[in-house]
Amino acid sequence: MQVSVNTNDNINGTLVLPLWQGSESMPSGSEAGVPRALKSQIDTILAAGDFKAKSGSAMTLAGTDGGKALLIGLGKSDAATLQSVREAGAKVTASLSKIHGKTITVKFSGLEGDHMGAFVEGMILRDYSYDKYKSKDDDDDSDDSEIDAHITCEADKIENLQKSANLSLAVASGVYLARDLGNAPPNDLYPMAFAEQAIAFGNEHDNVKVTIINYEQAISMGMGGLVGVGMGSARKPCMVIFEINPDMPGPSPCIVGKGITFDTGGISLKPPPSMDEMKYDMHGSATTFGVMQALVASGHKERVIGVTCMAENMPSSNAQRPGDVIKTYSGKTVEVLNTDAEGRLVLSDGLWYTGTKLNPSYIIDLATLTGACVVALGHEASGLWSNDDDLRNKIKEAGEHCGEIAWPMPLFKAFEKEMTDSKIADVRNLGAGRWGGSNTAAAFLKQFIPNKPGTEEQIPWAHLDIAGTAWGAKTNKMLKNGATGIHVRTLHHLITGQ
């Protein structure tokens, strides 16, 4: 999507008119440049109550000499939030069809600046499809060109709205990348294929350094969690380290992603229904890569680190078994009770490596970790655990600002005790029972957060379980289907304040 903001009264293509619920005529100031016949039609429809402008509603007007219009309901003005207005913007893109064309003019009048910015952001985020593998028929005359959006508003708001739109486009490039990676089929996106994309990304940008720890190196470094999960696949595991602005001083924010490019469950095989969706089990790494892209595109100048722990969890004669004991990069041993609790194993190495080698100011990991989190929170929110109240609150606030809810969950000592209660190893990779599974998984990860140098206090750390929000979230109006790119925007906002 291309977005330009100005005060030009001309209507380019289809007029898009955002309206508050109860509007009985076009808003004052929005009539300029609208052909008389089209204005008359709009006013007649609004006066008659044929379009009430309820939140989530849309109506297309066509057939008059004055051109076409798309009316978009904003809902009640006194109940408007950034997210409700963002969803109204997404409704614009979702409603566009062949009749509207690819050129639109959005006329704002009387809206607050942050509401206009959220509306445009929603339009941009919804402008996504994954059709890389779809063939186009010879007689298909659909227009594949970009949407050209002209935005008009009051003169004193133009500069800020254009800056907001440019930032939304930059951050959305990271969201799109995360969605592309999440949606990619696992026969094409395996651990080293992900690494190759990361290397290409590093080569494209002078302020990006990408380092790969390959399978052989992981073995020699003692990364038993990563190696154990990935050794059963012909496509071996790896770890990818992104450094944005590597020459800038630290300590720096560090984002760590679980990257299981396909998860069969290993020897503890998953049931067949919906196993195809296990290509999404790398969305933590997809988000991590997406955050790196968003930071580069938006011109962030400080040092930020991303670490992705990539593996394919497959059953084979040399796969990890239930009952195995592995030694992780931290030196701690883990009793593997279930090979389908594999994400926490690859993260154990990624978290310890990040904490001991990359000079973090804080560590945030993202993982499609547990079905228990989906049971608890559905598809409406990611679970959020942290050893630091300030970090937890900042992530929660950033998520609320972006409409990506991260809901605080408990990290009780009892959960840690349960996960360190193995009879033959330091830690067990599965809780003692079925209860509180997402909490015990977080408690497992906490065992692999190093202390701050020279202290007995852990590095600030937070864990986001995105199992319910990475895909399948039907109430997420920012996309049609598939991978969501969840928390790219949250983390960009957290890191940059933008």
Side-chain angles (χ1 to χ4, degrees):
M1 180 180 290
Q2 298 178 21
V3 180
S4 59
V5 183
N6 53 57
T7 56
N8 193 331
D9 290 338
N10 294 333
I11 305 297
N12 296 286
T14 297
L15 168 66
V16 175
L17 192 63
L19 296 161
W20 294 116
Q21 186 171 333
S23 297
E24 295 182 354
S25 63
M26 290 185 65
S28 175
S30 67
E31 307 98 328
V34 179
R36 184 177 301 174
L38 184 57
K39 178 182 182 302
S40 176
Q41 186 182 20
I42 293 171
D43 285 343
T44 298
I45 286 171
L46 293 177
D50 292 334
F51 182 71
K52 293 180 171 50
K54 291 182 178 180
S55 182
S57 62
M59 176 184 283
T60 295
L61 308 181
T64 70
D65 294 335
K68 295 166 286 190
L70 177 61
L71 309 184
I72 296 293
L74 297 172
K76 295 179 179 179
S77 59
D78 58 358
T81 64
L82 287 180
Q83 183 62 10
S84 70
V85 178
R86 192 180 287 119
E87 290 178 353
K91 185 68 175 181
V92 173
T93 312
S95 300
L96 293 180
S97 62
K98 188 174 181 180
I99 192 174
H100 301 101
K102 289 299 182 80
T103 302
I104 60 175
T105 297
V106 181
K107 272 188 161 293
F108 290 123
S109 182
L111 267 71
E112 296 177 6
D114 57 350
H115 281 166
M116 290 191 293
F119 188 95
V120 173
E121 183 186 29
M123 290 171 53
I124 292 167
L125 291 171
R126 186 60 174 77
D127 185 28
Y128 172 86
S129 62
Y130 188 75
D131 49 15
K132 178 179 178 180
Y133 292 87
K134 286 191 172 184
S135 303
K136 188 171 181 178
D137 296 335
D138 293 338
D139 57 353
D140 186 348
D141 60 352
S142 58
D143 186 358
D144 293 330
S145 62
E146 279 189 301
I147 296 171
D148 186 10
H150 301 263
I151 314 293
T152 68
C153 66
E154 294 86 346
D156 61 337
K157 298 177 181 177
I158 289 176
E159 184 177 354
N160 286 340
L161 183 54
Q162 185 67 67
K163 287 180 180 178
S164 174
N166 291 344
L167 178 63
S168 292
L169 286 166
V171 177
S173 71
V175 177
Y176 297 160
L177 173 60
R179 291 174 180 176
D180 282 349
L181 292 166
N183 287 324
N187 57 320
D188 282 353
L189 190 74
Y190 43 91
M192 281 306 298
F194 181 99
E196 288 164 5
Q197 287 197 38
I199 292 168
F201 173 69
N203 291 337
E204 291 169 5
H205 302 285
D206 293 337
N207 65 329
V208 178
K209 178 183 177 183
V210 174
T211 305
I212 310 298
I213 297 174
N214 64 28
Y215 180 56
E216 290 75 20
Q217 291 170 321
I219 292 174
S220 65
M221 292 171 70
M223 291 185 169
L226 184 69
V227 170
V229 172
M231 67 185 186
S233 172
R235 291 166 162 170
K236 298 305 182 191
C238 63
M239 189 177 291
V240 181
I241 298 97
F242 301 83
E243 296 180 69
I244 309 300
N245 304 313
D247 296 331
M248 296 298 290
S252 309
C254 291
I255 312 301
V256 181
K258 170 189 170 183
I260 307 300
T261 57
F262 192 74
D263 183 18
T264 65
I267 297 296
S268 306
L269 196 66
K270 291 179 180 289
S274 300
M275 192 191 285
D276 60 291
E277 293 182 345
M278 288 301 97
K279 69 176 185 176
Y280 296 120
D281 208 23
M282 51 75 64
H283 205 306
S285 287
T287 291
T288 302
F289 197 163
V291 172
M292 302 300 115
Q293 163 63 32
L295 290 168
V296 171
S298 63
H300 187 60
K301 301 300 183 185
E302 302 299 321
R303 179 177 180 264
V304 180
I305 305 298
V307 176
T308 63
C309 311
M310 313 305 300
E312 189 176 55
N313 188 21
M314 300 289 281
S316 71
S317 60
N318 64 324
Q320 186 168 252
R321 297 159 290 266
D324 283 358
V325 173
I326 61 172
K327 188 175 183 180
T328 65
Y329 182 65
S330 69
K332 294 181 180 180
T333 56
V334 178
E335 181 183 10
V336 179
L337 298 172
N338 188 311
T339 64
D340 196 23
E342 85 299 327
R344 62 199 71 182
L345 298 179
V346 300
L347 285 173
S348 71
D349 288 337
L351 291 169
W352 195 264
Y353 181 86
T354 299
T356 56
K357 301 295 185 183
L358 299 176
N359 192 18
S361 54
Y362 58 77
I363 302 171
I364 300 172
D365 78 72
L366 302 101
T368 48
L369 205 64
T370 65
C373 190
V374 190
V375 172
L377 299 175
H379 296 285
E380 307 308 313
S382 302
L384 169 61
W385 293 257
S386 182
N387 64 359
D388 184 272
D389 290 346
D390 185 55
L391 179 60
R392 179 179 60 246
N393 292 337
K394 286 180 178 178
I395 295 171
K396 183 176 183 292
E397 289 168 4
E400 289 170 351
H401 176 83
C402 296
E404 298 180 323
I405 301 171
W407 197 255
M409 299 284 280
L411 198 55
F412 299 146
K413 290 291 184 183
F415 297 135
E416 293 189 63
K417 183 178 180 181
E418 185 174 337
M419 298 307 286
T420 55
D421 194 32
S422 169
K423 291 182 174 60
I424 61 172
D426 299 323
V427 190
R428 52 192 291 161
N429 84 324
L430 200 67
R434 60 181 295 194
W435 312 118
S438 60
N439 299 313
T440 54
F444 175 94
L445 296 178
K446 187 174 182 289
Q447 309 312 305
F448 300 92
I449 305 301
N451 291 336
K452 296 177 183 178
T455 75
E456 295 299 315
E457 182 183 357
Q458 281 188 315
I459 295 166
W461 156 78
H463 161 58
L464 285 163
D465 192 332
I466 58 173
T469 52
W471 82 97
K474 294 180 180 178
T475 56
N476 187 337
K477 296 185 173 75
M478 297 301 114
L479 79 163
K480 185 177 181 180
N481 52 43
T484 62
I486 193 70
H487 296 313
V488 169
R489 292 161 51 240
T490 299
L491 295 179
H492 182 277
H493 183 70
L494 174 74
I495 293 167
T496 67
Q498 295 181 295

